[in-house]
Amino acid sequence: PPRLATASAPQEWAEAAHTFFKSKRWLPATEAYERSGLLRERDIAEAYYLRDQARLVAAGSRSGDRARKLAFQKAGDAFRKSGDQASMGWAATERLSYFRVAAECYCQAEEYSRAARAYSLAQDFAMAAMTYRKAGLFDEAMAIIRGHARSIDPDVVKAITDVACLEYLRKNQIK
């Protein structure tokens, strides 16, 4: 935390928090935003802190892999919350950015369905469709393709459509 007296004005805490945030010192930024009363900014700094912590979790063992996935899931949830809050009046680019980072965290956690939903919220429909495909959720992948084919690279559309058709044929579920 900054070397400010506990009775420092919220504006001083906000300035200190902004300085910490710009230098990617997420935990002091979180604490300073809390003291300044800037709770949405606190949540964003905390999300970045959680992602950094998740990146530090060692994988390689079954318990390490589980801990790493849980840490990334928690970070994804925090970014998703920031995206949801940003939709209540913040700039659209920030909102989309938080959803995109949430999706990336969910991918690291191997939570592909949640990642695909976050990619959709980020309006990255190609990644949403590819991630639904990775999750084996072909109906959802095809729904994205049908709704957003014009904004997705034609090669991606063809690849996902071909795989979905093969899967539907395999299960006798041609649609």
Side-chain angles (χ1 to χ4, degrees):
R3 296 178 188 259
L4 300 174
T6 305
S8 293
Q11 182 60 35
E12 291 173 305
W13 283 106
E15 290 170 11
H18 185 65
T19 300
F20 287 133
F21 191 91
K22 284 194 326 190
S23 63
K24 299 182 180 184
R25 296 181 58 205
W26 310 123
L27 190 57
T30 301
E31 294 169 356
Y33 279 132
E34 173 81 30
R35 289 181 181 239
S36 72
L38 297 172
L39 303 183
R40 285 193 288 191
E41 291 84 349
R42 176 208 58 203
D43 290 346
I44 293 164
E46 182 178 36
Y48 281 107
Y49 172 75
L50 291 171
R51 183 181 66 177
D52 281 0
Q53 292 303 112
R55 288 174 172 166
L56 296 174
V57 176
S61 67
R62 188 171 294 183
S63 62
D65 288 344
R66 188 170 41 251
R68 182 176 173 81
K69 288 176 187 175
L70 286 172
F72 272 110
Q73 182 179 333
K74 188 173 178 180
D77 291 344
F79 277 107
R80 171 70 193 262
K81 178 182 173 186
S82 292
D84 289 339
Q85 289 176 340
S87 67
M88 295 179 221
W90 283 12
T93 54
E94 287 183 50
R95 177 176 166 260
L96 298 180
S97 174
Y98 298 140
F99 287 136
R100 176 172 252 301
V101 177
E104 292 165 357
C105 288
Y106 289 139
C107 281
Q108 290 290 320
E110 297 180 16
E111 292 281 338
Y112 298 114
S113 176
R114 294 176 80 186
R117 282 194 297 274
Y119 279 126
S120 288
L121 290 169
Q123 298 178 6
D124 187 342
F125 300 114
M127 285 300 296
M130 289 187 295
T131 307
Y132 275 130
R133 175 187 165 219
K134 185 170 189 164
L137 299 170
F138 295 100
D139 290 345
E140 290 83 348
M142 290 308 300
I144 295 287
I145 296 290
R146 282 190 294 275
H148 304 281
R150 291 183 184 167
S151 66
I152 302 173
D153 181 283
D155 291 337
V156 172
V157 170
K158 182 172 177 5
I160 292 172
T161 303
D162 289 351
V163 171
C165 284
L166 288 172
E167 183 64 16
Y168 292 141
L169 275 172
R170 190 179 72 76
K171 291 184 174 181
N172 279 333
Q173 295 178 331
I174 286 294
K175 296 188 180 200

